[in-house]
Amino acid sequence: MKPRIVIVTTAHISEFPNPITFIEGAPLTVGEQYQGNEGRDNWFFCSTPGQEAGWVPGQVIERLDGQSARAREAYTARELDVSIGERLVASHSLNGWLWCKREGTAESGWVPQANLVEDDLRNVTCVIQEEVSGCGIAAAANILGKTYPEMKAIANAMGIHAEDESLWSDTQYVRRLLATGGAAAATGEAPFTSWESLPDLALLAIKHHQENGRDFWHWVVFERSAGQMHVLDSASYLPSNIRSDFGAMQPKWFIAVSRPGE
């Protein structure tokens, strides 16, 4: 299998802290076959001297006599603990699991294939804000498919300017901007509870804080497509404006949005 980038859609934590590991030719005692309903076929509970027993794929087991067998190749049952939104490099598929490496690290292990989707963000683009306080204009541009200058011109014609401090704690102006392109925003703000519970499209308020009794935040856009989630963050200083580092973002609340025609 050619290495490919995958995104974690469901977190996975291993239940086996001491995974069975062996080299080619290691003696194995083969026990029960896995009988779950998760579509993970051809796994056998095996033991080898000096280790805790664990699940081994049938492809690496060479049967000898009865329960006796030996390893056709080296194998480790090590699993990789992963969180939603992480990007991994998958290099090998085996009986419903993918061998994955965490990007930028040496950490690797098996992850259930059902918890992953292929990264299809290569064609996703994000409008970058051209003004320090232009995140709301950029967020509207990202949703409506406009450039920042185009959205800024529309905003300025409506009397909306990024440098207007009275708008920095306001939610109505982004609703007005979205309405110019036919998008509909919910009338109220809903508290953020989890990434999974968000609608498929939403304005998110992150970096929420107070100054002199006023609320301030940074606008970003949350999108979900084919089960894959990402955030469009227009901040110009970011190494990547298409974000899946969900653990690093702490949304306060969100506004559900429907695109034109939806």
Side-chain angles (χ1 to χ4, degrees):
M1 156 180 168
K2 183 179 179 180
R4 63 181 189 267
I5 302 296
V6 294
I7 305 294
V8 180
T9 57
T10 303
H12 174 71
I13 303 295
S14 174
E15 299 177 357
F16 303 95
N18 300 304
I20 187 171
T21 301
F22 47 78
I23 63 173
E24 182 181 351
L28 300 173
T29 300
V30 183
E32 63 177 313
Q33 183 172 3
Y34 183 75
Q35 298 294 329
N37 56 0
E38 297 135 324
R40 302 173 187 168
D41 300 325
N42 203 24
W43 290 92
F44 296 85
F45 199 64
C46 297
S47 61
T48 193
Q51 296 191 48
E52 293 184 13
W55 292 102
V56 177
Q59 293 94 320
V60 305
I61 300 172
E62 181 183 352
R63 298 277 188 166
L64 298 177
D65 182 29
Q67 291 183 305
S68 297
R70 63 187 171 202
R72 295 182 185 274
E73 59 188 73
Y75 173 76
T76 178
R78 183 174 72 246
E79 298 176 25
L80 186 64
D81 294 345
V82 294
S83 302
I84 291 176
E86 283 195 81
R87 286 167 55 90
L88 311 172
V89 180
S91 59
H92 186 53
S93 176
L94 192 60
N95 300 353
W97 293 70
L98 290 178
W99 181 262
C100 297
K101 179 179 178 294
R102 205 186 311 277
E103 275 196 322
T105 75
E107 299 176 81
S108 58
W110 295 103
V111 181
Q113 190 165 348
N115 295 36
L116 306 167
V117 295
E118 288 209 44
D119 181 16
D120 59 1
L121 299 181
R122 286 167 291 184
N123 296 322
V124 176
T125 59
C126 179
V127 171
I128 309 302
Q129 63 193 73
E130 298 178 5
E131 299 159 284
V132 173
S133 51
C135 57
I137 293 174
N142 275 312
I143 291 174
L144 296 179
K146 298 185 179 296
T147 66
Y148 190 89
E150 289 172 339
M151 201 74 245
K152 178 182 177 181
I154 293 171
N156 290 172
M158 298 170 64
I160 297 171
H161 299 271
E163 64 272 16
D164 185 352
E165 295 186 19
S166 67
L167 299 178
W168 295 358
S169 298
D170 177 69
T171 63
Q172 293 306 313
Y173 84 93
V174 289
R175 292 184 171 90
R176 292 171 58 201
L177 289 177
L178 291 172
T180 65
T187 55
E189 298 84 49
F192 175 86
T193 56
S194 70
W195 294 100
E196 294 86 349
S197 63
L198 286 172
D200 288 344
L201 181 64
L203 284 165
L204 283 182
I206 67 172
K207 297 183 179 179
H208 190 277
H209 63 285
Q210 284 196 332
E211 294 180 15
N212 300 320
R214 289 181 62 191
D215 292 318
F216 293 89
W217 58 86
H218 175 62
W219 287 115
V220 297
V221 177
F222 171 84
E223 293 182 317
R224 182 189 293 108
S225 177
Q228 184 171 336
M229 306 181 295
H230 62 267
V231 166
L232 303 179
D233 189 334
S234 62
S236 60
Y237 58 82
L238 292 172
S240 174
N241 298 95
I242 303 169
R243 302 181 62 178
S244 57
D245 56 333
F246 300 113
M249 294 179 281
Q250 298 180 332
K252 180 74 172 180
W253 41 261
F254 70 91
I255 299 173
V257 179
S258 297
R259 283 195 170 87
E262 294 183 351

